[in-house]
Amino acid sequence: MSGRTICYCADESEALLFDGEMFAETETRRAKKYFCGAVVPSDDIHSHTFKVPAGTDESKLDTLVEITMFEAGGLDLEKEYAIAYVRHVLEFDASWLIEAFAVEQAKLKERFGAIAARTGHIDLLAVPYTVYEAFYVFDKADAGAIELFLYLSDETSYAVLCKEGRYIAHRNLPSLSSIAAKANVSTEVVRETLRKRGLESERYGPDERLLIETLQEAFSKIVERVAQTVNHKRGIFGITKVDRLLLDFEQSLIPGLWELFDGYGFEESQKGALSCCERLEPAMQHRGLEALYMVAVNEGKTDAPNLTIFEKRPGFLQTHTGRFVALLAAGALLIAGYALLKESELGNLEERYAQLNGRLNVVKQKAAALRKAAAKERAGLDEAMRRLEESRGEIMAFDETADAALLIEESKIRRRKMVRDVDRALARYSLAAASMEQNGSKRMAIEILSDYGRRDRIAKFMKALIEMGYRGVEKEAIRLDETLYSSRVEIVR
């Protein structure tokens, strides 16, 4: 891949040249003439996913992403952020799925400011999860497959899911250093132990119980989280299965890890260790992948979400100040040689000045128009937000009204049921009601008339109501004459 050299900024002080196959050391000042890139650590990134209508205008989408990240993505209004996003087109939805990424500008300056000052620029600050797209750009993986990459390192770990050669999802995971702290050992011990003995208990001695239990617990949770992420994305992206699992761990495998994945339905997935560049040593494989991604971005072979705030500055003569100084210098030369210039040349200079002044006025007018349009756009956005809040209030009022209606309807149903139960009991014992009073859905008073000789049926009527679940049934009897008997029955649900 000769002729593809880029500058890979490894940290705040080291810059390496990468030609697509190998790294080479260089002085940072020489990097100014190259495309420069770096990768933002995942711990510094805030991410948030949401949907927008498909076909949203790009300029409006940029504004919408920024507003959403502050309103729903948890960003601090008092801080400045670099924001970028990935747009996913969904097969079975008339929406776009937007995954936005944000980093505090203060953290970018703290982490990359020193190297950016020496190189003069950083053209790309990449989102770490998207670098696996380089595999597909340079035909190192099957773009038609669904693949899951599991990256493990001392300071950061994450899983990345790719479909049709594009990044679609990620899940941050515990780093090796955090696992080492729980096991009370060094990160180096954890790294080497995973390579040599992995998660298989029989390879550990009795005095290593804490170590193996910590590793097994940590990786059980890692596999569970990865499986949850895959399952969550199945319906969204139409995933039937994951075709291949690749462990990005310095070209190493972890004994016992794939068996954990098989327990979550990955038995049919191919499995292996990630290898990016044949000429790079294992410890440099992931850096090679990141640098290869920068080559792809520089060549325009993939669209990258870019978090950089260190863009290349234009040459001095390309700036307004440079052009102004150049104009002043030309004027000074003209004045110095005024005696040698012809009268016509002076006239030409004055005409040129008038033209430039006219262009300047046009630029000022356009700038004023743009400011006015921006203010109008902002006012429209504020009005839309106001209408949205009004709609939310109306919806809440509707919900409260609906809840009240449901309660009223439920009360009516209970009252009707009480009346039906009483009617059945009266009919069952051939009793007649002289009057019936119902108070709400829980209380009813009935005046029952019967022959004196069959007054025991009133007691049976009351017993039947108790068996139906009514907890309070009382009566007050009044004998009207030798043949007629009246009883007032109080019923409570």
Side-chain angles (χ1 to χ4, degrees):
M1 295 187 204
S2 59
R4 293 179 169 178
T5 302
I6 57 97
C7 175
Y8 174 85
C9 299
D11 54 37
E12 63 271 14
S13 61
E14 183 183 13
L16 302 172
L17 294 182
F18 181 75
D19 63 1
E21 296 180 353
M22 290 289 294
F23 286 103
E25 294 183 358
T26 185
E27 296 180 3
T28 52
R29 60 183 178 82
R30 289 188 58 200
K32 293 183 178 181
K33 65 179 181 179
Y34 295 104
F35 178 91
C36 293
V39 177
V40 180
S42 60
D43 291 344
D44 291 345
I45 296 178
H46 299 270
S47 63
H48 180 63
T49 303
F50 58 98
K51 287 185 178 181
V52 300
T56 301
D57 182 77
E58 292 292 338
S59 59
K60 292 183 179 180
L61 182 57
D62 293 341
T63 303
L64 180 61
V65 168
E66 184 171 350
I67 292 173
T68 304
M69 286 299 286
F70 278 97
E71 291 187 346
L75 300 189
D76 189 342
L77 290 171
E78 301 298 322
K79 297 179 180 180
E80 291 184 312
Y81 294 85
I83 299 176
Y85 62 89
V86 175
R87 180 183 62 188
H88 302 292
V89 179
L90 304 178
E91 295 182 27
F92 309 106
D93 198 329
S95 302
W96 288 339
L97 185 66
I98 303 299
E99 184 172 6
F101 308 97
V103 184
E104 292 179 28
Q105 290 194 18
K107 289 186 177 181
L108 293 178
K109 292 174 182 177
E110 179 182 355
R111 189 176 295 275
F112 300 106
I115 190 71
R118 286 194 287 273
T119 62
H121 58 94
I122 299 180
D123 302 284
L124 171 66
L125 281 181
V127 176
Y129 320 118
T130 62
V131 301
Y132 291 94
E133 292 184 3
F135 272 102
Y136 307 99
V137 172
F138 297 109
D139 298 325
K140 294 178 178 289
D142 181 6
I146 296 174
E147 296 183 314
L148 178 68
F149 301 91
L150 184 64
Y151 173 60
L152 303 176
S153 74
D154 294 355
E155 301 303 327
T156 183
S157 297
Y158 46 80
V160 170
L161 191 63
C162 290
K163 179 184 179 183
E164 297 178 354
R166 300 292 295 183
Y167 158 82
I168 60 172
H170 77 276
R171 182 68 180 264
N172 288 329
L173 304 171
S175 64
L176 297 184
S177 61
S178 66
I179 297 173
K182 292 182 180 180
N184 199 26
V185 296
S186 68
T187 304
E188 179 64 27
V189 168
V190 168
R191 191 187 314 111
E192 292 304 315
T193 299
L194 287 173
R195 284 197 185 100
K196 296 176 180 178
R197 294 183 287 172
L199 308 174
E200 298 176 347
S201 302
E202 61 271 14
R203 299 191 180 192
Y204 293 79
D207 57 339
E208 296 177 302
R209 182 175 179 180
L210 175 61
L211 177 58
I212 180 57
E213 288 181 351
T214 302
L215 292 176
Q216 288 179 336
E217 179 182 5
F219 277 88
S220 293
K221 291 180 179 179
I222 285 173
V223 175
E224 180 181 6
R225 292 177 185 176
V226 172
Q228 288 174 350
T229 299
V230 173
N231 289 333
H232 176 67
K233 301 300 179 181
R234 286 185 187 276
I236 298 175
F237 292 100
I239 298 173
T240 55
K241 71 170 185 174
V242 175
D243 298 299
R244 186 163 66 152
L245 302 179
L246 288 174
L247 179 61
D248 187 358
F249 184 45
E250 300 181 359
Q251 288 186 316
S252 298
L253 293 176
I254 299 176
L257 177 61
W258 297 141
E259 286 76 5
L260 288 179
F261 274 97
D262 288 345
Y264 284 87
F266 293 89
E267 301 93 334
E268 298 181 4
S269 302
Q270 299 179 20
K271 304 174 181 71
L274 181 143
S275 179
C276 172
C277 303
E278 295 178 357
R279 298 178 61 186
L280 292 179
E281 59 187 20
M284 295 293 288
Q285 288 294 318
H286 189 75
R287 279 191 175 184
L289 171 65
E290 293 176 338
L292 201 62
Y293 179 69
M294 295 169 194
V295 172
V297 173
N298 185 37
E299 294 181 351
K301 294 182 176 180
T302 186
D303 294 326
N306 193 351
L307 294 166
T308 190
I309 58 172
F310 307 106
E311 296 89 348
K312 183 181 294 185
R313 295 180 180 179
F316 179 72
L317 293 179
Q318 294 177 321
T319 65
H320 293 292
T321 302
R323 287 193 291 269
F324 181 70
V325 170
L327 183 60
L328 289 180
L333 290 174
L334 289 172
I335 293 172
Y338 180 77
L340 301 176
L341 294 177
K342 298 178 181 180
E343 191 67 22
S344 59
E345 292 175 339
L346 179 59
N348 290 336
L349 180 61
E350 290 175 348
E351 182 180 353
R352 178 61 176 165
Y353 175 80
Q355 292 175 352
L356 291 175
N357 192 48
R359 291 181 182 177
L360 178 61
N361 290 333
V362 172
V363 171
K364 288 181 178 179
Q365 292 173 1
K366 289 183 178 180
L370 288 174
R371 286 195 295 270
K372 184 177 180 180
K376 183 178 180 180
E377 185 74 16
R378 183 62 189 178
L381 180 61
D382 292 342
E383 176 63 19
M385 293 299 294
R386 184 189 66 77
R387 291 198 298 269
L388 177 61
E389 289 301 320
E390 289 180 355
S391 299
R392 288 176 179 171
E394 292 174 358
I395 292 172
M396 291 179 64
F398 177 78
D399 289 344
E400 293 174 357
T401 302
D403 291 342
L406 288 174
L407 291 175
I408 293 172
E409 184 62 25
E410 183 178 351
S411 176
K412 290 180 179 179
I413 293 172
R414 290 180 177 176
R415 293 178 64 181
R416 288 196 293 268
K417 183 178 184 304
M418 179 179 282
V419 171
R420 287 196 302 269
D421 290 344
V422 170
D423 285 344
R424 291 194 189 101
L426 289 171
R428 179 178 177 182
Y429 297 104
S430 302
L431 296 173
S435 66
M436 184 182 296
E437 300 174 2
Q438 188 171 16
N439 184 7
S441 61
K442 294 186 176 181
R443 185 177 295 275
M444 177 182 287
I446 308 170
E447 184 176 354
I448 301 175
L449 297 178
S450 68
D451 292 338
Y452 187 78
R454 293 189 295 177
R455 64 185 181 277
D456 60 319
R457 295 186 180 184
I458 298 177
K460 294 178 181 179
F461 164 79
M462 295 171 63
K463 181 179 179 183
L465 290 177
I466 292 173
E467 291 175 350
M468 291 180 189
Y470 294 91
R471 57 184 176 84
V473 181
E474 301 176 354
K475 74 174 182 176
E476 178 183 351
I478 301 174
R479 180 171 179 173
L480 300 180
D481 52 36
E482 293 298 326
T483 61
L484 190 61
Y485 183 85
S486 174
S487 177
R488 180 179 176 84
V489 179
E490 296 281 344
I491 304 170
V492 180
R493 181 185 295 277

